[in-house]
Amino acid sequence: EAPEYLDCVVHMGSVMKSQGKLDEAEACYKEALETRRRKFGSAHPDTLTCMNNLACLLEARGNSKEAGEYYKEVLEYRQARLGQTHPDTLTSLNNLALFLKTQGEFKEAERLFGLALDGRRKVCGIKHMDTIGALNNMAAVLRDRAEEHAAHEEPREAAAAKKKAHDLFTEAVNASEKYFGKWNPVTLQSKNNMAGMLKDEGKLHEAKDLYEEALYGYRCQLGDRHPDTLAVMNNLAGIMKKQGNLNKARDLYKEALNGSNQISGNKHPRSLAITYNLAQVFEEQGEWGYALPLYEQELKFSPMTHLQKLARVKRLISRMKKSGYGEEAEKMAQQWNVM
């Protein structure tokens, strides 16, 4: 096949992916990968790029085993051919670490993020956006590690991971604001991340201020319907809910849900998460007539297992009964065959 044909196949795969036609996208990516392996070999840069694209798609489709194998293969070839500190190798380190983080393999993700951060500092310096991104990623996984240590009753290790995460988030905020400006998206993302850390530390007022600053910046720079804007909107609503400002939380969640449904549809993971959050606010306000349809929609499209859904339904039924909605609770129990 001519190079132009392969480029067209890859482009078609990207188009199909953007349209949500994931079966067709996967077929295109696999055809391009198999052809490039045969013509150029597995270690060729174009083959590795295609392999990485396929890994991203497989991960999005929930095929974690195959996605992880491709991410690892890309990294191994790039390390062998390009060296540990080549930008492409550092990108692969980051990609594999992000994947492992989503799989809950925080210890190995921390190791890989550490290598990526060391490489970015050495090759790019602190004034580079990729270094800021590496700081944020390392801090985020340390935040996860702190929770992991706490769950295993390891308070000393949890405290150390929290402090290290806080310091890295702080460095990311200060460096991004200094070198890229207050309203640059990388600065806004750093502030959003730092706000999450402050929330974990119970510093809700400081977290709220940072979320509000980030949201204002995202609205101005990216618009009201950008995924990053919607993510911060959801985060700020969560702070409002914790502070007892349910009306403000409800309004933010409603705006975020409307935007997410418009750009991604009501089955998108972001939309489902916001749907659940909004339902919780309505429940706290005693508005079960609004809360219940939202809970049911989230349950319908959630990727949770059936057993996980049943556990959530049982808790929901219990709360409904306590709130005086016994008839509705009984209907849900019959629908889910819950005794």
Side-chain angles (χ1 to χ4, degrees):
E1 294 85 350
E4 293 80 4
Y5 170 77
L6 289 177
D7 290 341
C8 286
V9 171
V10 172
H11 176 69
M12 182 60 69
S14 299
V15 170
M16 293 297 175
K17 182 181 178 183
S18 69
Q19 294 177 347
K21 299 176 181 178
L22 301 186
D23 287 337
E24 295 89 338
E26 183 176 335
C28 288
Y29 283 151
K30 284 187 172 179
E31 179 185 349
L33 176 59
E34 290 166 7
T35 304
R36 282 178 170 165
R37 276 192 198 273
R38 188 173 65 252
K39 290 178 66 70
F40 308 125
S42 295
H44 190 278
D46 290 346
T47 307
L48 297 177
T49 297
C50 199
M51 200 181 298
N52 186 74
N53 292 341
L54 178 57
C56 292
L57 178 64
L58 291 168
E59 181 183 358
R61 302 200 70 185
N63 191 341
S64 300
K65 184 177 184 297
E66 196 174 357
E69 290 170 354
Y70 280 127
Y71 280 131
K72 289 174 184 176
E73 187 174 355
V74 174
L75 176 59
E76 287 168 1
Y77 277 120
R78 284 178 171 168
Q79 285 176 323
R81 288 178 61 89
L82 304 174
Q84 187 69 25
T85 58
H86 189 279
D88 289 348
T89 305
L90 297 176
T91 296
S92 288
L93 278 168
N94 182 71
N95 291 345
L96 178 56
L98 285 171
F99 169 77
L100 293 172
K101 184 176 183 293
T102 64
Q103 302 302 304
E105 298 182 36
F106 301 129
K107 186 175 181 179
E108 179 63 6
E110 179 189 352
R111 185 184 74 83
L112 294 176
F113 277 135
L115 291 173
L117 176 57
D118 290 344
R120 292 296 184 192
R121 286 190 189 276
K122 180 179 179 182
V123 175
C124 306
I126 193 60
K127 298 181 181 181
H128 198 282
M129 287 189 180
D130 287 343
T131 306
I132 303 298
L135 282 168
N136 277 308
N137 288 337
M138 184 64 179
V141 78
L142 285 167
R143 196 174 156 194
D144 292 328
R145 288 282 279 157
E147 292 180 5
E148 191 175 55
H149 286 306
H152 289 90
E153 298 183 353
E154 299 168 342
R156 185 178 302 174
E157 291 84 352
K162 274 187 179 180
K163 183 182 184 306
K164 196 171 178 182
H166 185 106
D167 292 345
L168 288 171
F169 278 136
T170 301
E171 183 181 0
V173 170
N174 292 338
S176 57
E177 189 162 297
K178 179 178 180 180
Y179 298 117
F180 305 113
K182 186 175 183 178
W183 305 116
N184 188 286
V186 73
T187 305
L188 299 174
Q189 184 60 54
S190 297
K191 289 181 177 181
N192 177 59
N193 294 340
M194 184 74 225
M197 187 80 233
L198 292 169
K199 182 187 72 173
D200 290 351
E201 295 170 351
K203 300 174 182 177
L204 298 186
H205 183 72
E206 293 177 50
K208 172 177 167 289
D209 288 346
L210 268 184
Y211 277 139
E212 287 181 333
E213 192 173 324
L215 179 57
Y216 175 80
Y218 275 130
R219 285 189 192 275
C220 293
Q221 298 294 320
L222 303 177
D224 293 337
R225 294 293 180 263
H226 191 278
D228 291 344
T229 307
L230 300 173
V232 179
M233 203 180 293
N234 181 66
N235 292 340
L236 177 57
I239 290 289
M240 294 297 185
K241 179 173 177 287
K242 278 182 173 289
Q243 292 182 322
N245 192 343
L246 296 182
N247 287 336
K248 182 63 176 177
R250 178 197 63 209
D251 293 344
L252 284 167
Y253 279 138
K254 286 173 74 173
E255 183 182 356
L257 181 58
N258 181 52
S260 187
N261 285 344
Q262 283 186 14
I263 66 170
S264 305
N266 63 359
K267 299 178 186 179
H268 190 277
R270 182 200 322 106
S271 299
L272 293 175
I274 300 170
T275 297
Y276 183 77
N277 292 340
L278 178 57
Q280 286 186 311
V281 171
F282 278 127
E283 179 184 343
E284 285 196 36
Q285 292 182 315
E287 298 283 356
W288 278 97
Y290 292 109
L292 189 54
L294 292 170
Y295 279 132
E296 289 174 336
Q297 180 171 325
E298 192 271 342
L299 282 166
K300 181 179 180 180
F301 298 118
S302 170
M304 290 188 296
T305 66
H306 185 66
L307 287 177
Q308 289 172 325
K309 289 183 179 183
L310 284 178
R312 179 174 285 183
V313 166
K314 288 178 181 179
R315 293 193 296 270
L316 183 56
I317 289 172
S318 175
R319 297 200 305 273
M320 290 168 69
K321 288 179 178 179
K322 290 178 182 178
S323 301
Y325 285 79
E327 185 177 339
E328 290 82 355
E330 184 62 29
K331 287 180 181 177
M332 177 169 278
Q334 291 176 1
Q335 178 186 349
W336 286 87
N337 196 25
V338 174
M339 301 300 293

